[in-house]
């Protein structure tokens, strides 16, 4: 275990590349089962509580490594965050300002139309149907992202990422709308 601590402390062997940290291929369509397996193995190996014989400095290093492993896992397990991270690794910084500046008018129109339909919906089953349709759209985006990343088409990846983020945000609005309907139904 001392060897692992030394490797984690050595900047030349430890760089902030979540794909390398978690031992998965640097690609959008990574094997999620391998990601999960490697995450659990790394958490077990580097968790500071498991290193009772480590010095205080070694435990600090292990804590940072565990934080990096957690951050990497959270980023890579989410396809939209993974897409954004891949773009950043390729020199394309994506800020909220960049995202809003590059929004396609079709995405804005689609988003407004979905929100209007959601607002007039008073039936939870209808909201679930809308959610299902949006989830299908997001799945199609993921499939498209596989191909655009394989072709290094970052302009198209940006367009898909923006649309995916809007749809993902809309799913949260659906969840909140279902709660609102439930609350109204319980009050009646």
């Amino acid at each position: 275990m001392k060897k692992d601590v030394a490797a984690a402390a050595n900047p030349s062997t430890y760089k902030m590349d979540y794909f390398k940290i978690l031992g998965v291929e640097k690609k959008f369509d990574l094997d999620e089962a391998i990601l999960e397996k490697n995450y659990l193995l790394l958490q077990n190996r580097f968790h500071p509580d498991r290193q009772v014989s480590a010095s205080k400095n070694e435990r600090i290093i292990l804590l940072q490594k565990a934080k990096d492993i957690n951050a990497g896992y959270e980023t890579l397990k989410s396809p939209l965050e993974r897409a954004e991270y891949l773009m950043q690794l390729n020199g394309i910084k994506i800020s909220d300002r960049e995202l809003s500046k590059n929004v396609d008018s079709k995405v804005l129109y689609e988003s407004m139309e979905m929100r209007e339909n959601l607002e007039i919906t008073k039936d939870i089953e209808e909201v679930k149907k809308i959610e299902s349709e949006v989830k299908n759209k997001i799945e199609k985006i993921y499939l498209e992202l596989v191909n655009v990343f394989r072709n290094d088409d970052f302009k198209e990846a940006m367009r898909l990422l923006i649309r995916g983020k809007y749809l993902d945000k809309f799913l949260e609005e659906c969840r909140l709308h279902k709660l609102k309907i439930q609350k109204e139904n319980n009050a009646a």
Side-chain angles (χ1 to χ4, degrees):
M1 211 44 69
K2 293 268 187 200
K3 184 176 160 188
D4 292 331
V5 173
N10 184 345
S12 66
T13 60
Y14 174 66
K15 294 180 183 174
M16 189 60 80
D17 180 333
Y18 293 149
F19 291 96
K20 284 182 184 175
I21 290 171
L22 287 153
V24 292
E25 256 187 283
K26 192 181 294 188
K27 61 182 188 172
F28 179 75
D29 56 330
L30 58 79
D31 187 325
E32 292 180 11
I34 291 174
L35 173 67
E36 175 86 13
K37 180 181 141 218
N38 290 354
Y39 168 70
L40 294 172
L41 288 171
L42 289 166
Q43 272 298 68
N44 189 38
R45 176 190 278 169
F46 289 104
H47 197 283
D49 291 344
R50 298 207 184 273
Q51 307 300 325
V52 291
S53 64
S55 71
K56 183 178 178 180
N57 286 342
E58 289 171 335
R59 289 175 62 82
I60 290 170
I61 291 167
L62 287 168
L63 181 61
Q64 184 58 53
K65 180 78 171 177
K67 285 180 182 179
D68 294 342
I69 291 165
N70 287 335
Y73 178 71
E74 291 302 315
T75 298
L76 297 183
K77 79 174 184 176
S78 163
L80 291 175
E81 287 186 40
R82 184 183 327 133
E84 188 171 348
Y85 182 66
L86 275 167
M87 292 181 71
Q88 289 172 359
L89 288 177
N90 283 283
I92 302 164
K93 182 74 174 142
I94 303 171
S95 65
D96 288 340
R97 185 174 182 199
E98 279 297 309
L99 288 174
S100 62
K101 190 171 77 173
N102 289 300
V103 158
D104 184 330
S105 60
K106 291 177 188 174
V107 171
L108 290 175
Y109 179 75
E110 176 186 39
S111 184
M112 287 188 312
E113 188 175 297
M114 288 187 313
R115 281 186 180 84
E116 288 171 3
N117 289 335
L118 182 63
E119 277 304 310
I120 61 173
T121 304
K122 302 296 180 200
D123 178 53
I124 288 181
E125 292 307 313
E126 187 62 30
V127 176
K128 288 179 181 177
K129 182 180 171 192
I130 292 169
E131 279 179 318
S132 178
E133 291 168 3
V134 172
K135 286 177 183 177
N136 287 335
K137 289 179 182 183
I138 291 172
E139 282 301 316
K140 287 179 184 175
I141 287 172
Y142 295 164
L143 293 174
E144 290 179 59
L145 280 168
V146 168
N147 291 323
V148 291
F149 276 112
R150 283 183 183 158
N151 296 322
D152 293 331
D153 185 352
F154 298 112
K155 183 177 180 182
E156 182 64 7
M158 174 74 89
R159 187 189 71 76
L160 291 168
L161 178 61
I162 291 168
R163 183 167 181 246
K165 283 184 171 267
Y166 270 82
L167 291 171
D168 195 54
K169 183 177 179 192
F170 181 72
L171 283 178
E172 177 61 17
E173 291 174 29
C174 287
R175 186 187 71 78
L176 294 173
H177 193 69
K178 284 191 299 188
L179 291 174
K180 178 182 168 188
I181 292 171
Q182 285 175 334
K183 187 177 180 180
E184 290 170 357
N185 288 344
N186 289 340

